Amino acid sequence: AKMAIGLGADVTILDRSLNRLRELDDIFANQVKTVFSTLDAIEYYSSKADLVVGAVLIPGAAAPKLLSHDHIKAMKEGSVVVDVAIDQGGCFATSKATTHQDPVYIVDGVVHYCVANMPGGVARTSTMALNNATLPFGLALANKGPKQAMLDDPHLLNGLNVHKGKVTYKAVVDALGAELDL
């Protein structure tokens, strides 16, 4: 959003979290429109957009399809959709994973950019960022052992998906159709 604003774009952000929308209003003041995400809002704003960036994440689960094929058909010819959620199955009905070597395809006149592992395009930078974000967790596991490290850090504990051969994370269970065993 910051880059688009800097380039003079008219930016609208849709989200289902009122708290997040308020935060974005505070951050961007009157530079962006914030809209509570509903089916009607998605249909309206996607049909008017030159660019739609789908950036939905439900940890451990497949991304919901926010734009149907009919929504894509209703978009302006030459508009672009970027599916950041492609690694979780994509959030547009017409999304299919592409590569950095062949990144785009067109459906109903709409350009699709659905590169899996988008950070791989800047491999060195993304590797350093990932290392910086995960190193403290790795050090805690190494220094304290897994059990104590997870007891001391609820975020680390929330990352536990399987324990002693049993799936412990509900979103993974739902995505795989397995049984939750706590």
Side-chain angles (χ1 to χ4, degrees):
K2 284 182 184 179
M3 285 182 57
I5 292 165
L7 294 170
D10 179 14
V11 177
T12 302
I13 300 172
L14 282 71
D15 200 307
R16 291 181 57 182
S17 168
L18 291 175
N19 287 337
R20 184 62 178 149
L21 291 171
R22 285 186 197 103
E23 288 173 4
L24 292 168
D25 280 335
D26 288 343
I27 292 168
F28 293 113
N30 293 325
Q31 295 179 298
V32 301
K33 288 189 231 49
T34 56
V35 177
F36 185 78
S37 184
T38 64
L39 289 175
D40 287 341
I42 290 169
E43 183 175 338
Y44 175 79
Y45 287 101
S46 66
S47 71
K48 309 256 181 266
D50 295 315
L51 170 66
V52 174
V53 178
V56 62
L57 174 64
I58 299 174
K65 302 296 186 225
L66 299 178
L67 290 183
S68 68
H69 196 160
D70 287 341
H71 290 131
I72 297 292
K73 281 183 188 178
M75 292 179 72
K76 298 184 286 188
E77 185 161 342
S79 57
V80 177
V81 293
V82 176
D83 196 337
V84 178
I86 195 65
D87 292 327
Q88 287 76 41
C91 62
F92 308 135
T94 51
S95 292
K96 63 181 182 184
T98 60
T99 65
H100 290 287
Q101 290 74 30
D102 190 16
V104 299
Y105 61 94
I106 298 173
V107 175
D108 295 321
V110 176
V111 178
H112 287 60
Y113 180 89
C114 306
V115 172
N117 188 23
M118 285 183 196
V122 286
R124 179 172 159 65
T125 302
S126 62
T127 299
M128 291 171 56
L130 181 61
N131 182 62
N132 288 337
T134 59
L135 183 61
F137 296 109
L139 290 172
L141 289 166
N143 292 332
K144 299 177 179 181
K147 184 177 180 179
Q148 190 60 52
M150 283 186 265
L151 288 172
D152 290 349
D153 186 340
H155 302 294
L156 193 54
L157 181 59
N158 287 336
L160 181 66
N161 288 289
V162 178
H163 181 66
K164 295 184 179 179
K166 304 291 183 182
V167 180
T168 60
Y169 192 66
K170 185 174 182 339
V172 172
V173 168
D174 292 343
L176 298 177
E179 287 187 29
L180 183 64
D181 191 357
L182 295 177

